[in-house]
Amino acid sequence: MARLKKVEKVFIVRSLAQFMTPTEVVVAIKENFKIDVSPQQVEVYDPTKTAGADLSQELVDLFHEARKKYIEQPIYNIEAANDIVQLRVLSALFIKKQGNTRDAIKLSDQIQKIVKGYYEKKIEITGKDGGAIKTETEHSQRPPMFTPDELANLSPQELSRLAINGKL
C-alpha cells in the first residue's frame, strides 16, 4: 500500500466525486503520479462507501463540494455532450464496423439523427394562433330517476343490471 501525499489524496477524492470508479482512479493515479495503488485503497477516500467512514472531515467536505460543482456544471462543459465529439466517435466506429451491416446501419442512423438535429427538435402544442388549447366540458343527462314504487316492482336481475350500467 503506497503512502499518499495530500495532493494525491485530493486528486483521488475529486475523481471519486466525479463518479469515477475506483479502478478508473487507479489508472488515473498511475498516469498522473506514477504511483501504484489498489482499488481498495482508493475506496477509503469515498465517504459514500463503508470503507470511507473514517475519512477526515476536510476530505469529506472536499468530496461533497466537488460533487456539487460536478453535478451543477453546464452540460456544454461535458466533452461527450457536444455533437462534433459524438460525430467523431461515431464516425470512427462506423469505419470499423462497415463489415457488420447491422451495426453499420445503426451507427449511420445515429449519425444522421445528430446531423439533422433530431434530438434538438421540440414540439409545442398550442391552440389556434398559438393561444391556449380550448377545452370544453360536456354534461351528460342524468339517467331517469326511479320512484320507490317502480324500484320495488323490479326483479333482482333488473336492479343489478341498472346498477351495473350506472342507471341507478
Side-chain angles (χ1 to χ4, degrees):
M1 186 143 101
R3 181 125 170 98
L4 300 176
K5 299 175 189 163
K6 182 165 179 138
V7 176
E8 297 152 352
K9 292 177 184 179
V10 168
F11 179 85
I12 292 171
V13 168
R14 286 191 175 143
S15 298
L16 291 170
Q18 294 177 2
F19 300 100
M20 288 177 71
T21 64
T23 307
E24 292 171 336
V25 176
V26 167
V27 172
I29 284 284
K30 179 79 170 172
E31 289 175 7
N32 291 315
F33 298 102
K34 311 291 187 256
I35 298 173
D36 289 322
V37 292
S38 68
Q40 292 79 12
Q41 186 178 2
V42 169
E43 271 189 353
V44 171
Y45 295 95
D46 188 346
T48 64
K49 306 274 178 161
T50 307
D54 296 331
L55 192 61
S56 71
Q57 189 60 43
E58 175 188 4
L59 292 176
V60 170
D61 293 342
L62 176 67
F63 177 89
H64 292 298
E65 179 185 327
R67 179 156 288 181
K68 183 179 177 190
K69 283 182 182 177
Y70 183 75
I71 290 172
E72 292 176 351
Q73 73 177 327
I75 196 157
Y76 58 80
N77 284 350
I78 300 171
E79 184 177 301
N82 295 320
D83 287 347
I84 193 69
V85 175
Q86 289 178 0
L87 288 171
R88 192 177 305 129
V89 170
L90 290 172
S91 178
L93 285 171
F94 180 76
I95 291 169
K96 287 180 185 176
K97 298 287 185 174
Q98 281 183 333
N100 185 334
T101 308
R102 185 180 53 115
D103 286 349
I105 290 171
K106 284 182 180 180
L107 288 166
S108 176
D109 184 46
Q110 183 71 26
I111 290 169
Q112 288 298 313
K113 285 179 179 179
I114 292 171
V115 169
K116 293 180 179 178
Y118 176 82
Y119 299 108
E120 296 171 7
K121 293 180 182 174
K122 294 182 181 177
I123 299 172
E124 187 173 324
I125 301 173
T126 60
K128 186 177 179 184
D129 298 324
I133 297 174
K134 184 179 179 182
T135 57
E136 295 179 7
T137 306
E138 290 184 21
H139 297 285
S140 60
Q141 294 180 343
R142 283 213 31 101
M145 298 298 269
F146 294 97
T147 64
D149 294 330
E150 291 174 329
L151 290 173
N153 293 333
L154 294 175
S155 69
Q157 284 181 329
E158 292 172 320
L159 283 171
S160 66
R161 191 174 299 127
L162 288 174
I164 290 171
N165 293 326
K167 295 184 178 180
L168 211 176

